[in-house]
């Protein structure tokens, strides 16, 4: 997700080391074991919004980002090459995110192309640290080479501009999942909290899902309406994913996945990748954030007017205002509450991680950026998860679902001729 000027910025700025820091009151032996498991595991993160600023020509993933803020919205950075190294992440899905405004302005596809190009350029610039990956086998190879896989997922199905040939071009460029909507309903799919127009997926939307199955591009149900979730599960012959969503039973938010859908995902072979955003994880945090946003709105509006020509000045003024107005934020163990719930309802084979780094305004207490990912491993170990279970959550579940989607694609390509290759809705 992305949102405008944020609260609680200060939470993420009190950071100066990139070591995996042992949590307070942790058992040192258990912590050491957690780090060893974490190091051995293939770790895949379903969603990272760093490509949005990467389209700036001056952007370099090698530049340390601790303590830096996104100039577009004042939110803290969570990602850079040294933080990747500290995180232990093997495969990162770089989010090719296209906002509803960009779509409405008719610039969805060029914006997606800019971000794909920016992702390629960072990989070309840092071949020692990064490698471009498009298959499950690539990810396993990257682990052996000690590199981070750059994978890509489109966020906002309108990026294909209602064209299946464009969908295929995105696949050829390396895109391996597509979130069918972002926050707005569009021509062929309804979004989670927008007015429905298609009763879920339109006929063309259903064709998009079938074509994604045939290609081996995974269908992502984060951000879509409940009806779209059900439609996708009715149609998809390949495992699906929720790249960055939580369990609705623990926080009744439209961005989260209801239990009946979790049960169907278990049958489908898919995976729900838990989002780290505290307001999706926790109703109390969501309420506290909303209350504080409402309370500070007059002051925020005044600051925006005062600093309308001074982005840096605005960010600094907002930071001070936020520091003076802290609110409740749940801690990182809440991430594992959601993993526990999905494990109970769908099973241990259907849960993963989808941080939403650099797309959320703040992270759970105790977590400053991707370098703190081992906290999740530690908390699973502390709750009695076995190493096998932990490795499933960290990456093996996604790898299994991804490899299965590749297999379905191979079968599908033998069945389908070129019919419909120019299909496009009006
Ligand atoms: Zn999102």
């Amino acid at each position: 997700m992305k949102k405008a000027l944020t609260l609680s910025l200060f939470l993420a700025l009190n950071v100066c080391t990139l070591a995996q820091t042992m949590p307070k009151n942790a058992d040192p032996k258990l912590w050491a074991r957690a780090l060893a498991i974490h190091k051995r595991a293939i770790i895949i993160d379903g969603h990272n919004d760093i490509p949005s600023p990467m389209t700036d020509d001056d952007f370099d993933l090698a530049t340390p980002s601790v303590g830096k803020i996104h100039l577009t919205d004042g939110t803290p950075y969570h990602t850079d090459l040294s933080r990747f190294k500290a995180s232990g992440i093997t495969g990162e899905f770089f989010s090719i995110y296209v906002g509803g405004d960009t779509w409405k302005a008719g610039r969805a596809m060029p914006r997606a192309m800019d971000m794909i190009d920016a992702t390629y350029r960072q990989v070309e610039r840092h071949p020692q640290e990064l490698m471009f990956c498009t298959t499950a086998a690539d990810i396993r190879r990257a682990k052996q080479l000690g590199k981070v896989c750059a994978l890509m997922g489109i966020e906002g199905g309108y990026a294909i501009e209602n064209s299946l040939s464009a969908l295929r071009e995105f696949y050829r460029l390396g895109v391996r999942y597509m979130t069918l909507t972002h926050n707005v309903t569009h021509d062929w799919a309804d979004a989670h909290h927008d007015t429905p127009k298609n009763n879920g997926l339109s006929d063309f939307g259903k064709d998009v899902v079938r074509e994604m199955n045939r290609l081996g591009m995974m269908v992502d149900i984060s951000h879509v309406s409940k009806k779209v979730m059900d439609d996708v599960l009715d149609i998809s012959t390949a495992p699906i994913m929720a790249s960055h969503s939580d369990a609705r039973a623990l926080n009744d938010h439209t961005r989260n996945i209801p239990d009946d859908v979790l049960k169907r995902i278990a049958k489908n072979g898919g995976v729900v990748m838990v989002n780290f955003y505290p307001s999706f994880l926790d109703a109390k945090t969501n309420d506290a954030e909303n209350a504080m946003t409402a309370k500070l709105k007059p002051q925020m509006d005044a600051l925006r007017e005062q600093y309308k020509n001074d982005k840096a000045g605005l960010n600094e003024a907002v930071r001070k205002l936020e520091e003076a107005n802290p609110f409740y934020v749940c801690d990182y163990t809440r991430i594992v509450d959601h993993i526990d719930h999905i494990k109970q309802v769908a099973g241990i084979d259907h849960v993963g991680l989808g941080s939403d780094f650099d797309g959320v305004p703040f992270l759970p207490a105790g977590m400053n950026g991707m370098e703190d990912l081992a906290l999740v491993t530690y908390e699973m170990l502390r709750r009695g998860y076995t190493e096998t279970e932990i490795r499933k959550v960290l990456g093996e579940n996604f790898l299994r679902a991804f490899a299965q989607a590749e297999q379905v694609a191979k079968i599908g390509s033998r069945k389908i001729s070129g019919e419909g290759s120019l299909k496009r809705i009006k």
Side-chain angles (χ1 to χ4, degrees):
M1 73 164 274
K2 291 295 286 181
K3 60 191 290 179
L5 279 171
T6 169
L7 299 165
S8 242
L9 186 58
F10 70 97
L11 283 172
L13 293 178
N14 298 325
V15 201
C16 38
T17 69
L18 286 185
Q20 299 270 6
T21 315
M22 188 169 81
K24 267 186 224 158
N25 309 320
D27 171 350
K29 273 193 188 158
L30 203 63
W31 175 246
R33 211 177 137 222
L35 288 184
I37 292 170
H38 195 82
K39 204 172 170 189
R40 283 194 287 272
I42 289 183
I43 301 172
I44 298 172
D45 179 21
H47 197 90
N48 186 316
D49 273 307
I50 197 68
S52 292
M54 271 165 40
T55 55
D56 181 340
D57 280 343
D58 295 332
F59 187 92
D60 187 350
L61 268 179
T63 305
S65 69
V66 174
K68 289 209 159 88
I69 54 172
H70 291 262
L71 285 179
T72 46
D73 56 12
T75 60
Y77 274 96
H78 306 134
T79 304
D80 66 36
L81 286 185
S82 59
R83 298 171 100 173
F84 263 125
K85 200 171 174 57
S87 75
I89 288 173
T90 319
E92 180 67 282
F93 270 99
F94 285 71
S95 173
I96 309 304
Y97 159 75
V98 179
D101 291 352
T102 308
W103 168 59
K104 285 172 186 163
R107 290 203 37 83
M109 199 186 295
R111 178 64 183 154
M113 289 297 179
D114 284 350
M115 274 183 283
I116 290 170
D117 172 60
T119 305
Y120 272 92
R121 287 166 73 196
Q122 289 299 324
V123 175
E124 288 159 4
R125 196 167 179 172
H126 302 292
Q128 302 304 315
E129 294 87 359
L130 300 174
M131 65 184 264
F132 198 77
C133 292
T134 57
T135 66
D138 284 348
I139 299 172
R140 294 201 186 275
R141 204 171 312 125
K143 177 70 179 174
Q144 286 169 354
L145 295 171
K147 293 188 184 186
V148 175
C149 268
L151 297 131
M152 295 188 296
I154 287 177
E155 182 171 32
Y158 36 67
I160 66 168
E161 296 192 359
N162 303 338
S163 159
L164 292 184
S165 56
L167 175 70
R168 286 187 285 273
E169 291 299 348
F170 279 124
Y171 177 84
R172 291 182 187 112
L173 287 169
V175 172
R176 287 299 178 267
Y177 78 68
M178 183 165 76
T179 321
L180 299 183
T181 69
H182 186 245
N183 290 336
V184 296
T185 290
H186 57 90
D187 294 341
W188 49 266
D190 296 337
H192 66 108
H193 71 167
D194 198 2
T195 310
K197 283 198 309 204
N198 304 288
N199 187 28
L201 282 175
S202 72
D203 287 345
F204 178 77
K206 291 172 184 171
D207 280 345
V208 170
V209 169
R210 291 186 194 104
E211 187 65 357
M212 290 173 76
N213 284 170
R214 194 183 72 83
L215 291 166
M217 189 190 287
M218 290 183 75
V219 180
D220 178 15
I221 60 161
S222 287
H223 285 283
V224 303
S225 71
K226 169 68 166 66
K227 181 66 167 59
V228 172
M229 294 179 194
D230 288 328
D231 285 355
V232 167
L233 282 158
D234 287 344
I235 298 161
S236 183
T237 52
I240 66 163
M241 64 194 288
S243 69
H244 58 309
S245 288
D246 297 324
R248 201 175 289 189
L250 297 195
N251 183 12
D252 188 13
H253 193 295
T254 54
R255 275 287 282 105
N256 293 339
I257 310 294
D259 279 359
D260 63 314
V261 176
L262 290 178
K263 286 178 189 152
R264 291 192 71 189
I265 287 175
K267 287 200 186 110
N268 156 274
V271 58
V272 175
M273 305 173 92
V274 171
N275 191 312
F276 295 180
Y277 181 40
S279 291
F280 293 165
L281 290 167
D282 181 55
K284 195 174 154 196
T285 305
N286 193 30
D287 292 346
E289 186 192 11
N290 288 340
M292 190 57 75
T293 302
K295 183 181 155 198
L296 296 184
K297 187 173 182 302
Q299 286 146 285
M300 285 284 194
D301 288 347
L303 289 175
R304 282 194 192 97
E305 182 58 28
Q306 186 182 344
Y307 292 98
K308 61 185 171 193
N309 300 317
D310 176 7
K311 196 77 192 166
L314 176 63
N315 284 334
E316 180 57 20
V318 168
R319 190 182 65 79
K320 282 188 182 151
L321 181 64
E322 290 171 349
E323 268 183 5
N325 292 277
F327 60 89
Y328 172 80
V329 175
C330 66
D331 77 14
Y332 67 88
T333 61
R334 189 72 180 151
I335 294 168
V336 185
D337 291 347
H338 284 258
I339 294 171
D340 274 347
H341 182 81
I342 297 167
K343 178 185 169 185
Q344 273 171 24
V345 176
I348 188 65
D349 293 327
H350 304 285
V351 56
L353 304 178
S355 67
D356 218 348
F357 288 136
D358 284 291
V360 295
F362 54 97
L363 291 170
M367 186 174 269
N368 298 298
M370 51 170 50
E371 65 276 14
D372 292 322
L373 201 56
L375 290 172
V376 178
T377 299
Y378 174 79
E379 183 61 16
M380 285 193 279
L381 191 63
R382 198 188 67 75
R383 295 189 192 193
Y385 283 53
T386 64
E387 176 166 357
T388 303
E389 289 179 321
I390 290 170
R391 288 174 70 150
K392 283 182 175 187
V393 176
L394 292 180
E396 294 295 335
N397 286 339
F398 176 79
L399 276 172
R400 183 208 67 242
F402 190 29
Q404 210 176 321
E406 289 169 358
Q407 202 56 36
V408 169
K410 280 182 199 158
I411 294 163
S413 63
R414 281 199 292 272
K415 278 186 187 164
I416 294 175
S417 68
E419 191 193 346
S421 61
L422 295 175
K423 196 172 239 174
R424 198 180 169 106
I425 62 169
K426 303 289 179 294

